[in-house]
Every structure is written in structure tokens, then in C-alpha cells.
Amino acid sequence: VAALACLTTMTRMVEDQRTQIGSLKALGFSRWAISKKYIGYAFWASLLGGLIGLAVGCTLIPAVIANAFNIMYNIPALQFKVQPVVCVLAVLAAVVCTTGAGLWACLSTLMDTPANLMRPKSPKPGKRVFLERIKPLWRRLSFTWKVTMRNLFRYQRRFWMTVIGIGGCTALIITGFGIRNSLYDVFDKQYDEITPYSAQVSLMDNITEDELTEIAAVLDGSELVSQWMSVSNQPVTAESDSRSLDSNVYLFTVADEERFSDFVHLRHRQDNAEVSLSQDGAVITEKLADMLDVGVGDTITLVDGDNRRAEVTITDLAENYVFHYVYITEECYESLFGQTSEINSLMVTYTEDTEENSDTVAEQLIPLSGVSSVSRIESTKNTFIEGMKGVDYAVVVITVSAAALAFVVLFNLTNINITERMRELATLKVLGFYTGELNAYIYRENIFLTIFGILLGLVLGKFLHQWLIITVEIDMVMFGRAVYWPSYVYSAVLTILFGMLVNLVMHHKLKKISMVESMKAPE
């Protein structure tokens, strides 16, 4: 898209100086001598722009990304270092695209004869459009609307440049909002829908029955606790034929599946259908399956902390976003490891999940000898969401970049459109068109091109978002895959606003068109 913007800019510059180029060619100047001016302009402009972009890209964007990564990690202050290969390739790409566009614009113009170059460029011949074949609709269109429809498809290059440019703008904005949707999905779905319990109580190793009884008495006697459940949750290593994952993988052993569903909702991501546990295999989370490159029916090997190995068949995949989990029944655990699982944590749901209630329950549990720690899930979620504010900066950066792209593409192409049709527009003024009617004559085309571009961008944005989310995803987290409909609406509205801004700027140029232009002979 950036290359298209460069191409339109250089094309406009060359077309504005057709007469001068034709005169130089008639005087015997070589094509290279004439092209040097324009190629040099493109080269130095792109080099300067590339260096400025390099400065911004190596400082601002890494700072925004690092701020987003603070959601999961405590990272030290950034140390900016120059990577020569990456920097050279980035600037070289900008220079090649812009200079190549200038070279192409010059050569395409210089192929013509000096006599033709010294005359204004003749307008392209009109063509029948598809709508003309739909006669009931075509007959109901006014003259100005018929002209608009014909002009849209008369200038094919301008049509596709505008549509692709606007499409790229819309796609970038959708990607920005989509990133925000995907990251917030991690915490909203994980802690509000999949694991909706209020707190997790970690127990001491080798906890005794008396200590468990004492903890159960406190929880059962508290009016602040609505329900709780003891589980076995231990870190394991998961291995497949092709890969092995030894961090952030936890084995959940479920003794009572019916009660377990009140604390952890196992479901499919695509259709929200419930997932049931089987005594003959394990349910694993979707991201873990992707990382191990396995699916339903495949076999994985689990290695626990005592280095005991067991092979288990995958019976289903469950939606999950933070960490990786393997869920099995108590009976399955006994058949795999030859012993019963050890209870090491409790899942607790409060009657009202407030900070005051959480602190009260924690004060009752912490003094007990069998309790290691009490952590409130909402506090963890709020900490993550607080760190998510850095993502909003990334959305702003992407939106501003998209706005600049839309403005440059629309401004250049509209400017070329007006310049190429100056005599036509001046003639319309002579024929009595008011300024508003003349503006509408041009703006209608921009509106239709913007709509086509938005439709293309809505499709491109979905695929761009999916690719980017999968690319930047870290091992321990699966980002959300959905872009919600408000993001599409906001993207379309912002793109329309950018287009309206260009129309407002070009209004002054249309007012300055002189009617005398239509009287001048081309010679």
C-alpha cells in the first residue's frame, strides 16, 4: 500500500510536468538526463523518510510492545541497540519502492513522443459499464449519477489504487482494534467464563487428614463461602512424537466431574459445546494441542515431578487462554500412575466476590498449618487488565498510521483526478454548475471508491488480524481469535472520516478552478 502511495505521488509529479519533459526531450536530452531529476527526488525523499521512520520504529514501537509484554512479565528498562541488517533492509525497502515508482512513472511517460508530451494528456475514452446493461436501473439514474458510474470504471488504475489504499487503511484499523479484542478476551473469557471461581488456596506438601479437616471446617462454617472443592493440580511435562513442553503445563485430576463443572467450564471454543471427561483418556487445552501438534485420538506422554511417565489418549480439546492444562478423572490417574492423586489445592467461590470478603476468608485460612497461600482470582485479573493499558497505545499508533495512509492515498489520487480533468471541470463551471454541484461531481466518486475500499478492508483486516495474533502469541497464552462487530463499525467510520477530511481539503482547490481554462486551446 505504501508503494501505491509513492507511485501516485510520483505519477502526479511527472504528469504535472509533461510539457517540460516533452520540451527537454525535443531539445535532445536523453531519457536518463530527464529522469535524474525525478528519480533523485524520489531517492532523497524516501531516504529521509526511511531514516525518520527508522528512528520512530526503533524507539516508539518497541516501547509500546514492551509495555504490552509487562502484562505477563516484569522486564527491565529497554536498551535500544542498532541492528544494522534490519535497519538497512527497512530503509532499502522504502528507497527501492519509492525510487522504483519514480523510475516507472518517468519511463512510462518518456515512451511517448515529444510532440504528444508537449500537449495536455488526452482523456481516456468513455466505456459502457455493467450497470448500463441493467436498463430499468440505468434509466432511473440522473445524468450526473450516470457520469459518476462511468468515471469510476473509466480510470482503472486510479480505481484500484484507491480501493487498495483505502482497504489497507481499514484493514490496519481493524487489526488495531482486533488486537485489543484478542488480548482482553484472554482475561474476560478465562476468569469470567472458563474459571469463574473466586480464589485458589494452595496447600502444604504432605498435608495430613487433620489439617484438611480443619481447613474444611473453616470453609464450611464461613458465610462468605458459597462452595469449595479440593483438587490435585500438579506441574507435568507433556511430550508428543514431535515436540515436548515442560513449562506452564498442569495436570488436573478430577474426582467429582459434576462438582468440578461449577468451578471450571470445559467447552469447545468454536461452538461452546460442553466437554466431558472420559475414564479412558484426557482432555487437553487447545493451545497445548497446537504446540504439541496433536489432536483428538492421538497419544501424548505425561511426566510428573517424580519422573514417572504415562501415555494417555486425547479424547477432546477444551478452550483455555492462560497456561496449559491436562484434565483426567481420578480413575484414569490411578490407571496411568498406579496410585491415587494427592490433593494440593482448593478452589473456592465466595457468596460475593469482593476484596473485603476475600481478605476476611484469607485471614481465617492463612494461620492454619496446612495452608500455603490464598490468592484471589479477581486481583490477578485486575493486575493483568491494568497492564493492558499499554495495548491502547499500540491501537493509537496503528490508527494514526492508518489515518496517514488514507489521507496520503486519497489526497494524491483526488489531486491527480482534479488535475487530469481540469478542463472538464472548468467547462462544467462555464455550463452553469454551482460549486456544490461541482464538488458533488468529484466527491461522489470518492465516496464510492471509499465504500469499495472499506468492503475490501473488512475482509483483509480479518485475515491480517488472524495472522498477526498467531505470529505474536507467546507460549503460555492463547490470544482470542475473534474481532467483534463494533471494531468493524469503528474501522469503517474512521475510514469514512478520513475520506471526508480529504474532501474538505480538496474543496478549496475545486473553488479555485478558473473557467478561462476551458477556453484555452491545447496548442
Side-chain angles (χ1 to χ4, degrees):
V1 176
L4 286 177
C6 297
L7 181 59
T8 57
T9 303
M10 295 308 303
T11 301
R12 179 176 62 85
M13 177 182 292
V14 173
E15 290 295 336
D16 285 346
Q17 300 187 13
R18 277 177 58 88
T19 304
Q20 181 180 344
I21 292 174
S23 300
L24 292 174
K25 191 174 182 183
L27 292 173
F29 284 84
S30 66
R31 292 180 182 178
W32 171 244
I34 299 172
S35 301
K36 282 193 296 184
K37 170 185 174 181
Y38 306 99
I39 296 173
Y41 173 86
F43 174 81
W44 289 111
S46 60
L47 181 61
L48 180 59
L51 293 176
I52 294 174
L54 197 64
V56 174
C58 291
T59 54
L60 176 61
I61 295 178
V64 171
I65 295 173
N67 197 10
F69 269 99
N70 276 322
I71 299 169
M72 291 292 179
Y73 307 106
N74 290 322
I75 60 176
L78 290 180
Q79 296 181 0
F80 298 102
K81 295 183 178 179
V82 177
Q83 299 183 32
V85 176
V86 175
C87 294
V88 169
L89 288 177
V91 176
L92 186 63
V95 171
V96 169
C97 287
T98 307
T99 307
L103 180 61
W104 184 86
C106 288
L107 292 180
S108 62
T109 301
L110 287 169
M111 293 295 291
D112 209 344
T113 62
N116 287 335
L117 289 174
M118 286 187 286
R119 298 181 56 167
K121 190 175 182 180
S122 59
K124 291 188 176 182
K127 295 180 180 179
R128 285 184 173 271
V129 297
F130 174 74
L131 288 178
E132 293 188 50
R133 302 181 186 278
I134 309 176
K135 293 185 178 180
L137 174 61
W138 186 255
R139 283 197 299 264
R140 285 173 172 79
L141 294 178
S142 65
F143 169 76
T144 54
W145 278 99
K146 289 179 179 179
V147 173
T148 298
M149 294 297 106
R150 283 174 174 159
N151 284 336
L152 279 176
F153 301 99
R154 183 181 181 186
Y155 304 95
Q156 292 289 328
R157 186 176 65 182
R158 181 170 60 86
F159 176 87
W160 287 111
M161 283 185 178
T162 307
V163 169
I164 294 174
I166 297 302
C169 164
T170 306
L172 278 176
I173 300 176
I174 289 174
T175 302
F177 285 118
I179 290 173
R180 193 176 188 276
N181 293 156
S182 297
L183 294 183
Y184 274 98
D185 265 0
V186 170
F187 310 111
D188 291 340
K189 289 190 175 183
Q190 182 69 40
Y191 297 115
D192 293 342
E193 300 178 19
I194 299 175
T195 56
Y197 57 93
S198 305
Q200 181 170 323
V201 180
S202 298
L203 305 177
M204 295 290 188
D205 294 336
N206 302 318
I207 188 172
T208 64
E209 287 294 332
D210 292 339
E211 290 172 332
L212 276 175
T213 302
E214 185 180 14
I215 295 170
V218 171
L219 293 174
D220 290 336
S222 176
E223 296 179 351
L224 304 178
V225 176
S226 63
Q227 59 180 344
W228 64 277
M229 180 180 183
S230 58
V231 293
S232 172
N233 180 14
Q234 57 178 309
V236 295
T237 298
E239 300 176 352
S240 66
D241 294 336
S242 58
R243 293 196 61 184
S244 173
L245 193 62
D246 58 0
S247 61
N248 302 314
V249 182
Y250 298 92
L251 174 63
F252 254 106
T253 304
V254 181
D256 187 342
E257 184 178 357
E258 185 175 350
R259 288 196 61 210
F260 183 73
S261 63
D262 293 333
F263 297 89
V264 178
H265 298 159
L266 298 181
R267 67 186 188 187
H268 294 150
R269 178 174 59 85
Q270 301 286 356
D271 55 9
N272 289 332
E274 293 186 2
V275 173
S276 300
L277 297 177
S278 170
Q279 297 184 8
D280 301 325
V283 173
I284 70 173
T285 51
E286 184 179 347
K287 180 66 181 290
L288 178 59
D290 290 339
M291 296 195 66
L292 295 179
D293 194 22
V294 294
V296 176
D298 294 333
T299 300
I300 61 173
T301 301
L302 303 177
V303 184
D304 66 7
D306 296 328
N307 208 30
R308 292 176 298 183
R309 304 174 66 87
E311 289 189 356
V312 62
T313 302
I314 301 171
T315 58
D316 213 335
L317 305 180
E319 179 183 16
N320 192 77
Y321 295 94
V322 182
F323 302 129
H324 313 291
Y325 294 101
V326 179
Y327 300 99
I328 60 175
T329 62
E330 181 65 37
E331 293 78 9
C332 182
Y333 184 91
E334 292 180 6
S335 66
L336 292 175
F337 295 99
Q339 63 182 43
T340 58
S341 60
E342 295 182 3
I343 295 173
N344 58 10
S345 65
L346 309 175
M347 296 181 293
V348 182
T349 301
Y350 299 139
T351 52
E352 292 185 20
D353 192 2
T354 63
E355 187 174 357
E356 182 180 357
N357 288 352
S358 177
D359 292 341
T360 302
V361 175
E363 289 173 359
Q364 296 172 349
L365 291 174
I366 289 297
L368 303 181
S369 58
V371 176
S372 172
S373 64
V374 179
S375 58
R376 184 184 176 215
I377 303 300
E378 186 69 18
S379 298
T380 304
K381 176 186 173 183
N382 290 338
T383 301
F384 286 147
I385 291 178
E386 185 66 23
M388 289 285 291
K389 292 180 178 178
V391 177
D392 293 332
Y393 295 112
V395 175
V396 170
V397 170
I398 293 174
T399 304
V400 170
S401 301
L405 174 65
F407 186 84
V408 169
V409 171
L410 266 181
F411 180 83
N412 283 332
L413 289 171
T414 304
N415 197 20
I416 291 173
N417 186 23
I418 294 174
T419 302
E420 289 180 343
R421 299 163 63 185
M422 189 72 73
R423 291 172 54 80
E424 174 189 347
L425 298 174
T427 302
L428 292 177
K429 269 195 169 186
V430 172
L431 294 175
F433 275 59
Y434 292 106
T435 302
E437 293 175 324
L438 196 65
N439 290 343
Y441 185 75
I442 295 296
Y443 293 165
R444 269 195 295 266
E445 297 177 24
N446 284 353
I447 291 171
F448 274 101
L449 292 173
T450 301
I451 292 173
F452 291 145
I454 289 174
L455 294 177
L456 176 63
L458 294 178
V459 178
L460 293 179
K462 179 178 177 61
F463 289 104
L464 180 60
H465 166 262
Q466 293 290 327
W467 171 82
L468 186 60
I469 283 298
I470 294 174
T471 302
V472 303
E473 211 169 53
I474 57 178
D475 288 350
M476 66 180 289
V477 174
M478 185 179 82
F479 295 147
R481 299 292 191 263
V483 180
Y484 299 117
W485 67 265
S487 297
Y488 290 104
V489 174
Y490 297 152
S491 302
V493 170
L494 285 173
T495 305
I496 291 172
L497 290 177
F498 300 153
M500 292 174 62
L501 178 61
V502 172
N503 288 344
L504 184 63
V505 172
M506 299 308 298
H507 169 72
H508 299 286
K509 182 165 184 176
L510 287 171
K511 286 180 64 176
K512 293 179 180 178
I513 293 177
S514 172
M515 289 186 284
V516 178
E517 290 292 327
S518 64
M519 308 298 181
K520 292 181 179 179
E523 292 78 9

